[in-house]
Amino acid sequence: MRAGIGEFVRTNVQGGAEQRKHRRYNLALPVRVQSKARATTAPPIETATKDISTHGIYLVLSEGLEMGSELDLEITLPAELAGGKSVKLRC
């Protein structure tokens, strides 16, 4: 996954209404973010999703990353969403 400005958010400048292509779900899921360039020198950043869709996630990081950085993400789905047992997704 690459950090950058998404193409999936479109905003109507006059009305401020979003014109997203895909539905967003307000889910706060735990996420570990690791920059591939800093994998050996910096620990992963712990955060949570703000919302998620079929084509992206919105999350806030406690530290900045360079635009275009390649990232490894580990998202934890809680047991209630994963059929009884928590599941870690890596992408």
Side-chain angles (χ1 to χ4, degrees):
M1 174 170 276
R2 287 194 177 272
I5 299 172
E7 296 179 27
F8 299 103
V9 177
R10 309 229 193 288
T11 304
N12 179 330
V13 176
Q14 293 178 352
E18 293 182 9
Q19 299 173 353
R20 296 182 186 266
K21 290 184 176 183
H22 304 283
R23 182 175 176 190
R24 306 294 288 188
Y25 298 92
N26 292 325
L27 291 173
L29 302 174
V31 182
R32 293 179 67 156
V33 179
Q34 181 67 61
S35 167
K36 288 186 178 184
R38 301 180 345 178
T40 59
T41 60
I45 302 165
E46 304 278 340
T47 189
T49 61
K50 298 288 185 183
D51 64 38
I52 192 165
S53 78
T54 57
H55 282 90
I57 62 172
Y58 171 40
L59 51 90
V60 176
L61 300 177
S62 60
E63 57 188 85
L65 295 173
E66 185 177 329
M67 184 70 77
S69 296
E70 289 191 50
L71 306 174
D72 286 324
L73 303 177
E74 181 180 278
I75 303 169
T76 303
L77 293 179
E80 33 310 337
L81 293 178
K85 185 177 179 182
S86 67
V87 174
K88 293 189 185 298
L89 304 172
R90 292 187 177 99
C91 48

